[in-house]
Amino acid sequence: MNKILSLVCLFIAVKATAQQQLFMPQNVKKAYENETRSKDGKPGKKYWQNFGRYNINVTTMPPARAVKGTETISYINNSPTPLTRLTIKLIVNIHNPGTARQSNASEDYLTTGIHIDKYTENGTAKAFPDPHGSTNAGVRLTNPVAPGDSIQLSFDWHYDMSEESGREGMLDSTSFFLGYFYPRVAVMDDVNGWDRMNFTDAQEFYNDFNDYTVSVTVPKNFLVWGTGDLLNAGEVLQPSYLDKFNRSFTSDEVINVVTQKDLDAKNITTQNATNTWKWKASNVSDMAFCISDHYVWDAASVVVDKKTGRRASCQSAFMDKAVNFHNQVKHIQHSLDWYSNNWPGVPYPFQKSTIIEGFADMEYPMMANDSRQEDDVIQRFIAEHEVGHSYFPFYMGINEHRYGFMDEGWTTAFENMIGVADLGKEKADNFFKQFRVTGWATSPSDETQIPIITPVNILSGQAMGHNEYGKPALAYLALKDMLGDDLFRKCLHGFMDRWHGKHPIPWDMFNSFTDFAGKDLSWFWNNWFFTPYYMDVSLDKAAQTKTGYALTIKNIGGYAIPLNIVLEYADGSTETIHKTAAIWEKDQQQTTVDITATKKITYIKLDGGIYVDADEKNNSWGTSTKTKAVGLSDAELDKYTGNYSSKQVPIKVSFTRENGKLMAEPAGQDRVALENTAKDTFTHEAAGVVIVFDLTKNEMTLKQGGGTYVFTKDK
Ligand SMILES: [Zn+2]
């Protein structure tokens, strides 16, 4: 008897301590044992990272697609072990027909990849191993590089720009985007050794912080925009353009450095056959460039550090007819100002930010390649997101191959914060629900329940997107709500101070937050990042107490979400009580919330806001006099089911009935439940969609974002 009792006690004790410890894979445990990382969240005593000094000369002569480069790398081994091998990244091989990639490639996307024409180690030429089309090449070094020593590498290389661009490639016949274009040494770190993950066009990047000088040689009348400082503007620009360019560095007003009229006159650059534009950037994770002979160029700047008065340059290059790109410099100024002074509230850590018109909506250090949008709100939204990445991953050297939730997640959380400032809470939150939450929150797919900590390189499709963007962003926002802005800021800044310019892993972030918060947040990290949870609460009971009501709330989905408790009183008045995620600290399956109420309550509803509940049917108690329930029978709903197609948009929508709801599933997207709001009318509020059926004509009209689309039922 005693024995059994003590066993039970032991079991409970073990369980209690286990709850306070975050799961740690073996490679991460080893990093702590080796003291390269410290359990209080700091870089360890023996923390190290490697470093390279890159000197690159690139030549390209559009409309010819060839890009030629010569490059030297001085690579320093700061690790405690001799290097006998190197891993070289050849990302441009993503265009090689035989390379593994996550989605199909069109003929126009394919090229023969990058060709290494010459390779030397410490000045001695040797054969470069055939990477067989891979984005990685393993090189066995002739002489190992001792700890603290360095090696000089050189490469001559060439590749053809792909006609169809992805993150890089041709934007049109004489506008090229050069990204990931040069051979680089992969990251070797204390946790995973060499980063040998293939680039598959899905997961993003992981780079060391290096110093770069890059020369870009192009024909006359071609302009070049890029990461870092342009060192020789006076050599490549005619005096009047140089003057406008120089003035932009102290100007709040947008200066049209180059207009369409200027382009037509073809006398912007020095009139040599070719011009070489020289660039420099230090302590950055990559360099990217755009060249064009017909993009207009706007520039201004903005104070990003009010204490020192430091300004950052804001530039944009685009087709004159891209209407909303004419606002782009203002969008960048606004983003840099807001991010510097609000959230993350760290002065913009670079000297410039340039947005190029392309197709990718993709970030690079100090650069973004953004698509043209008809709606300026969306144009700004994309600008804010891509510029937001300047913090995560470009200031904080995140391993995006494994932990995309540390860069996309944070950037998506900042995106909501700046969105609230721009649009007001209601509009921004609806936008956020539509783009980042509802799709997975209301999807019953098992892909939505994969723990966020799962290394993202083994995920694809929906699971990858949810785990990188919406789910972690909600976690960070819930943490901000729970800690309050002051403590949250202290934790975030503490973590950023410790790790910027380095390679933090999730445990460094978790431990740093716990350290700065002065309390163990493991339960919260564990709940959001290490479990297969989702968002679904139910209001099981509202029991009257002496002072009001005691609400029993079950957490069916499991995520520790904040809640708005909406109360309706018998006298018709309403009240909303906010509870942070702290209500789940003690017990993550069930909680009791005491409501003080002097008046009789007739209706209670749990409203998660952006924490979209998977099943709202069990979220309320009592009867509302405010919201009218419109219920249709199964037979009535079945009249609306079927597949619909439209001549206006190439998308099919299938309607089905499930659990008394009409469900809509646009081909290739998540299925969502619709609300019946009037006769023949259904809405999906989070996505701002209104659907009106005309059963007599077998037609359906879909309205979204100002557009109206007529669909016909398939026979
Ligand atoms: Zn992003």
Side-chain angles (χ1 to χ4, degrees):
M1 186 75 194
N2 268 340
K3 218 174 181 181
I4 292 169
L5 192 66
S6 68
L7 264 179
V8 170
C9 288
L10 187 70
F11 179 71
I12 291 167
V14 167
K15 202 178 158 202
T17 27
Q19 276 172 348
Q20 299 306 314
Q21 279 187 356
L22 295 174
F23 160 77
M24 217 185 256
Q26 294 179 64
N27 53 349
V28 174
K29 264 188 199 154
K30 282 217 171 75
Y32 286 95
E33 281 162 24
N34 294 339
E35 297 179 291
T36 53
R37 289 165 201 262
S38 165
K39 282 194 175 144
D40 57 9
K42 288 183 194 143
K45 295 198 285 234
K46 297 181 183 164
Y47 178 81
W48 57 268
Q49 67 193 35
N50 288 348
F51 171 76
R53 223 171 265 121
Y54 285 68
N55 198 325
I56 305 170
N57 302 299
V58 196
T59 303
T60 184
M61 297 288 157
R65 288 160 50 201
V67 182
K68 283 185 194 147
T70 60
E71 172 180 346
T72 60
I73 307 171
S74 177
Y75 184 72
I76 296 153
N77 176 20
N78 290 323
S79 86
T81 44
L83 296 182
T84 56
R85 298 175 65 89
L86 297 175
T87 298
I88 304 293
K89 291 284 174 193
L90 303 168
I91 303 295
V92 174
N93 275 346
I94 190 64
H95 296 282
N96 197 304
T99 291
R101 58 176 81 75
Q102 279 214 350
S103 38
N104 297 335
S106 79
E107 209 50 54
D108 287 346
Y109 189 70
L110 299 177
T111 69
T112 57
I114 190 164
H115 301 269
I116 306 296
D117 304 316
K118 192 180 167 197
Y119 168 68
T120 71
E121 279 171 21
N122 292 327
T124 307
K126 69 188 254 191
F128 190 78
D130 184 351
H132 300 291
S134 165
T135 57
N136 281 322
V139 175
R140 190 172 291 280
L141 294 172
T142 309
N143 298 306
V145 187
D149 204 352
S150 67
I151 183 168
Q152 312 303 313
L153 307 171
S154 83
F155 296 86
D156 290 359
W157 48 262
H158 73 274
Y159 71 90
D160 279 350
M161 279 263 146
S162 59
E163 284 181 60
E164 181 193 312
S165 76
R167 296 165 197 248
E168 43 68 48
M170 282 169 69
L171 304 174
D172 58 46
S173 62
T174 55
S175 303
F176 291 1
F177 195 92
L178 283 80
Y180 325 127
F181 59 94
Y182 59 96
R184 67 182 300 148
V185 182
V187 177
M188 189 182 77
D189 69 25
D190 58 311
V191 182
N192 294 296
W194 282 109
D195 169 36
R196 289 201 184 92
M197 285 181 194
N198 277 315
F199 175 60
T200 62
D201 241 354
Q203 294 86 22
E204 295 184 335
F205 297 88
Y206 185 33
N207 295 335
D208 276 322
F209 290 86
N210 299 317
D211 288 352
Y212 290 89
T213 52
V214 182
S215 295
V216 183
T217 302
V218 290
K220 69 178 169 194
N221 295 325
F222 272 79
L223 300 172
V224 183
W225 301 271
T227 307
D229 296 319
L230 175 61
L231 301 178
N232 65 336
E235 273 172 47
V236 293
L237 291 173
Q238 299 279 14
S240 64
Y241 299 100
L242 175 67
D243 177 58
K244 285 195 271 182
F245 176 62
N246 284 339
R247 276 194 286 122
S248 74
F249 289 89
T250 50
S251 171
D252 290 328
E253 296 303 315
V254 178
I255 294 176
N256 307 122
V257 179
V258 170
T259 64
Q260 186 62 48
K261 219 173 121 209
D262 302 330
L263 290 165
D264 295 342
K266 293 189 191 301
N267 192 27
I268 299 159
T269 68
T270 306
Q271 294 300 296
N272 302 323
T274 63
N275 289 310
T276 297
W277 298 57
K278 293 177 184 156
W279 301 84
K280 187 175 166 58
S282 302
N283 199 30
V284 292
S285 54
D286 207 352
M287 297 289 275
F289 298 92
C290 176
I291 67 165
S292 177
D293 63 349
H294 59 276
Y295 272 16
V296 299
W297 182 7
D298 282 354
S301 53
V302 64
V303 172
V304 291
D305 189 341
K306 286 185 175 152
K307 276 194 201 133
T308 62
R310 178 171 66 85
R311 301 180 78 91
S313 167
C314 309
Q315 302 184 36
S316 187
F318 51 93
M319 298 278 276
D320 194 42
K321 65 184 177 195
V323 178
N324 290 320
F325 260 81
H326 288 274
N327 303 324
Q328 204 67 287
V329 167
K330 285 208 181 83
H331 296 333
I332 303 170
Q333 286 176 305
H334 167 65
S335 304
L336 299 192
D337 175 56
W338 199 90
Y339 288 135
S340 297
N341 293 298
N342 296 280
W343 298 102
V346 172
Y348 180 70
F350 300 100
Q351 63 266 45
K352 75 192 283 196
S353 174
T354 303
I355 298 182
I356 296 297
E357 185 190 348
F359 306 97
D361 299 335
M362 181 67 209
E363 69 279 8
Y364 306 82
M366 303 183 224
M367 286 277 275
N369 170 337
D370 284 6
S371 58
R372 182 194 303 182
Q373 297 295 324
E374 297 295 319
D375 180 345
D376 195 46
V377 173
I378 308 283
Q379 195 74 68
R380 181 180 60 187
F381 169 82
I382 297 170
E384 289 172 347
H385 181 96
E386 306 314 339
V387 170
H389 275 299
S390 303
Y391 294 95
F392 294 83
F394 299 132
Y395 185 54
M396 310 293 292
I398 307 300
N399 182 345
E400 301 175 79
H401 285 167
R402 282 172 203 270
Y403 311 120
F405 65 87
M406 289 178 79
D407 81 298
E408 293 300 352
W410 277 109
T411 303
T412 304
F414 299 144
E415 166 199 301
N416 175 255
M417 297 179 205
I418 193 172
V420 169
D422 291 346
L423 303 169
K425 184 155 174 61
E426 195 185 337
K427 221 171 171 183
D429 281 357
N430 278 338
F431 213 64
F432 190 75
K433 282 198 265 188
Q434 175 188 342
F435 278 106
R436 305 300 193 194
V437 187
T438 306
W440 60 268
T442 57
S443 161
S445 164
D446 47 7
E447 289 187 19
T448 63
Q449 284 182 247
I450 294 168
I452 299 173
I453 197 71
T454 311
V456 73
N457 65 298
I458 62 167
L459 299 181
S460 64
Q462 280 189 43
M464 184 176 77
H466 304 326
N467 272 9
E468 289 197 350
Y469 293 82
K471 285 163 74 177
L474 286 175
Y476 300 135
L477 292 169
L479 188 62
K480 176 171 177 281
D481 181 59
M482 184 173 82
L483 296 181
D485 282 0
D486 291 346
L487 188 55
F488 180 76
R489 184 177 282 111
K490 183 183 168 197
C491 295
L492 178 61
H493 286 191
F495 166 56
M496 290 177 76
D497 281 348
R498 284 174 172 181
W499 284 97
H500 73 83
K502 299 189 172 69
H503 296 310
I505 57 171
W507 290 265
D508 300 318
M509 175 174 77
F510 302 145
N511 294 338
S512 281
F513 268 73
T514 287
D515 193 30
F516 286 104
K519 56 184 164 193
D520 192 358
L521 298 170
S522 301
W523 75 270
F524 181 87
W525 298 122
N526 191 54
N527 175 286
W528 271 96
F529 290 85
F530 294 84
T531 68
Y533 289 163
Y534 62 106
M535 300 186 290
D536 183 16
V537 292
S538 71
L539 177 54
D540 278 15
K541 215 161 80 186
Q544 221 156 355
T545 62
K546 274 185 197 151
T547 51
Y549 292 81
L551 311 184
T552 306
I553 302 171
K554 266 214 186 88
N555 198 339
I556 299 166
Y559 270 153
I561 59 172
L563 284 176
N564 291 318
I565 303 170
V566 183
L567 307 175
E568 278 182 34
Y569 294 104
D571 63 5
S573 60
T574 60
E575 189 185 352
T576 300
I577 294 167
H578 182 73
K579 290 285 167 189
T580 74
I583 54 174
W584 306 110
E585 181 171 356
K586 298 249 149 42
D587 183 344
Q588 289 171 34
Q589 272 130 44
Q590 183 171 308
T591 188
T592 306
V593 175
D594 286 313
I595 302 285
T596 313
T598 48
K599 298 186 283 188
K600 186 174 158 37
I601 294 176
T602 51
Y603 179 69
I604 305 170
K605 185 171 191 249
L606 305 180
D607 178 3
I610 53 174
Y611 297 83
V612 176
D613 199 289
D615 175 15
E616 286 203 328
K617 285 204 297 292
N618 50 22
N619 283 29
S620 58
W621 171 91
T623 312
S624 172
T625 53
K626 308 270 172 205
T627 48
K628 201 165 77 237
V630 186
L632 291 182
S633 70
D634 286 355
E636 284 170 315
L637 283 174
D638 283 343
K639 290 187 214 159
Y640 303 104
T641 58
N643 298 322
Y644 284 75
S645 328
S646 172
K647 289 204 179 86
Q648 289 166 272
V649 280
I651 191 162
K652 273 185 188 291
V653 185
S654 128
F655 294 94
T656 49
R657 172 175 57 78
E658 193 181 290
N659 297 330
K661 290 255 184 202
L662 189 67
M663 309 290 289
E665 185 174 359
Q669 297 178 37
D670 290 332
R671 203 150 51 106
V672 294
L674 301 174
E675 291 302 322
N676 176 219
T677 48
K679 186 176 171 356
D680 294 331
T681 305
F682 294 82
T683 59
H684 184 61
E685 207 188 328
V689 173
V690 179
I691 290 167
V692 183
F693 287 91
D694 186 338
L695 296 176
T696 54
K697 286 195 199 159
N698 274 331
E699 267 180 19
M700 174 275 279
T701 308
L702 187 152
K703 292 179 195 166
Q704 186 179 25
T708 300
Y709 312 96
V710 179
F711 285 72
T712 316
K713 192 171 184 175
D714 294 350
K715 299 234 164 66

